[in-house]
Amino acid sequence: MRLIFPDPARMIDLPGVGPCPRPVDIDQRLTGFQRLKSLRIYRFEPGPAIHGESEVDEVFITALEGRFAMAIDGPHALEAELGPGGALYMTPDHAYRLTPLTPCVVAYARAEAEGRIPSAVIEGREAEGEDLRWQLIDLAPGAGMELGGAGVEALVHVARGAITCGGVAVAAGQTLVLAEAAQLSTTTGAGLLILSA
C-alpha cells in the first residue's frame, strides 16, 4: 500500500488552452503497475475546448465536480454532457474534445487495450472496460468495504470525506495505491473513485 498526495500547485500547459492545474498525476513510475497506466485529475475553467486522444489506451473520463461537454471522434463517436458523477468510456484510437461548461474537476484513467469495446456513456456506478474497471462508491458514515487481492492493481482516489486503510488515514484529494487486498472504512462518509485492473 502506498499513499500519494495531490499537488495543488502542479500545472500543465495544454495546447490552445494554457496552464491548467493537474493536482493528481499518477503513472506507472509511481505505482510500478503493469496494466493500469495512469490516473490524472485536472481542474478546468470554462473557456476553450481541451483536445486529446486515447492513443492505444482505453480511457475512463469522470466528472468529479462541475459540468462539461464531451465529443469523441472516430469509428465509435459520441457526444454527451456530463455532471458530477457522470462518466464515459473511450476506446483506443479515438480523439476527444472536452468543453468545460462550469469550473470542473475531471479524472482520466488509462490502460492499454485492443479496442474491442465501443465508446459509451456509463450508466450506473461501475463499468468494465477490456482490462480496466471503473467504480464510483459512496460509503456511508461507519461503513467499510474490502478491495483488491492477489494480482489486482488498484487506485483508490478519495474525492470527498476520508477513509482509513490499514491504520492509515486518507483524506480528500489523496490516492491509495493497492497491490494487495485491503479493508477500507470511514467514520465520516466518503466518495471514492476506484480504478482497478
Side-chain angles (χ1 to χ4, degrees), residues 43-170:
R43 292 187 174 277
F44 296 134
E45 294 294 328
I50 292 95
H51 295 264
E53 297 182 0
S54 56
E55 300 172 342
V56 299
D57 300 324
E58 57 180 350
V59 186
F60 281 104
I61 301 170
T62 310
L64 295 176
E65 296 177 20
R67 299 193 68 79
F68 58 87
M70 192 76 175
I72 294 177
D73 296 320
H76 301 289
L78 65 78
E79 293 189 8
E81 185 174 311
L82 300 176
L88 58 78
Y89 174 84
M90 181 168 53
T91 198
D93 300 315
H94 283 64
Y96 70 85
R97 183 177 68 257
L98 185 155
T99 305
L101 304 175
T102 68
C104 54
V105 177
V106 183
Y108 295 77
R110 290 178 173 262
E112 193 165 328
E114 295 178 7
R116 296 191 306 266
I117 300 174
S119 300
V121 175
I122 296 170
E123 303 292 340
R125 308 286 283 181
E126 62 181 270
E128 300 260 352
E130 288 182 42
D131 196 32
L132 189 57
R133 184 177 185 207
W134 170 93
Q135 295 174 282
L136 273 183
I137 302 288
D138 288 318
L139 286 181
M145 65 179 289
E146 190 169 326
L147 181 68
V152 176
E153 302 173 348
L155 294 173
V156 180
H157 178 75
V158 180
R160 62 171 177 77
I163 61 172
T164 301
C165 179
V168 176
V170 188

Side-chain angles (χ1 to χ4, degrees), residues 5-13 19-25 41-43 173:
F5 291 78
D7 179 358
R10 183 189 293 115
M11 303 291 282
I12 182 164
D13 194 17
C20 285
R22 186 162 78 185
V24 176
D25 188 357
I41 300 178
Y42 295 81
R43 292 187 174 277

